[in-house]
Amino acid sequence: MIESTYEVSLPVEVEHELDALLAGWAQRQALPVVRAEAIRQEALRERQLGDTELTYEWWSHFFAGVTATIRRTADVRSYLPAVA
Amino acid sequence: MSVHRSREERDLDVSLFNDLYCQHHQVLYAYLLGRCSNRDVAADLLQETCLRLWRHIQELRIIPEERRRYWLFAVARNVANDYHRRRGVRERHEAAQPDRDLADGAGDSTSRLEQAESATAVDVAMQRLPEDLRTVMTLRFLAEMTSEEIGQALGRPAGTVRYQIAKARRRLAQELHLVQGITSEESATA
């Protein structure tokens, strides 16, 4: 019964001391507000670059046009020997 | 046919992103810090998480608000896993250099004030915790999440989280010499 080992809690004064140490640790490790804001701004900047991207709809239309052109070109090649 | 997304759509995206960032960046950072135990790396991984959030911002609109945090945790988990994978590959080629950030200055504290020494000792003790225990501790004490919230975020029962917190606290107390002795069962599971 490993779990039962942990049912024995720490002495109250140790719990309090540990809580105080952990509160200090949390303060030291917290993400500074300035850094958090810099991360948010950087993400927004990256996205603004992404906003210049063309939409899926546009690319879909574009590739449909390219495919049709390739197909027509292939058709012309099949006529060429007959023309020659 | 729209060539670019409309200004209104983009404004909605920015607004949603800002809301999500304000609500969740601290818990995501706490999670990532627990996973990598280095503040700078955790901040970088948070930024990577934000970029992935941006790529899927429109999907998030259809996710119920109460589920969004767990979607973000899933993204952060993938980002942290990718980091560990890259680090593992790098360490196979280089000498292992453990992240020292949580324990900055741990080796040269002989002349420090008592307070600074105890702060360093806590940092070192936290860093020495296994990753799964450290992660629940950062979520509990840095993000101030409840056991239930941590359990939902990590996909484990709240009872398991409470057990892990108790286990981590006991380890820390021993590491910091607040209590004496360690049972053979704890040693076996350490």
Side-chain angles (χ1 to χ4, degrees), chain A residues 5 15 28 36 40 42 55, chain B residues 2 18 21 47 123 169 185:
Chain A
T5 306
E15 293 275 12
R28 288 191 302 280
R40 191 183 70 84
E42 183 61 27
T55 58
Chain B
S2 61
N18 283 335
Y21 187 79
Q47 182 142 0
D123 294 354
R169 286 178 68 92
E185 283 174 330

Side-chain angles (χ1 to χ4, degrees), chain B residues 8-51:
Chain B
E8 289 74 23
E9 284 177 311
R10 278 181 282 165
D11 287 347
L12 278 173
D13 288 349
V14 170
S15 174
L16 179 58
F17 173 80
N18 283 335
D19 286 349
L20 290 169
Y21 187 79
C22 289
Q23 284 175 45
H24 304 297
H25 78 273
Q26 287 291 3
V27 291
L28 292 173
Y29 169 76
Y31 170 74
L32 292 165
L33 181 67
R35 290 290 311 271
C36 69
S37 75
N38 180 304
R39 276 173 294 182
D40 285 332
V41 173
D44 287 346
L45 296 183
L46 175 63
Q47 182 142 0
E48 175 62 27
T49 304
C50 289
L51 292 178

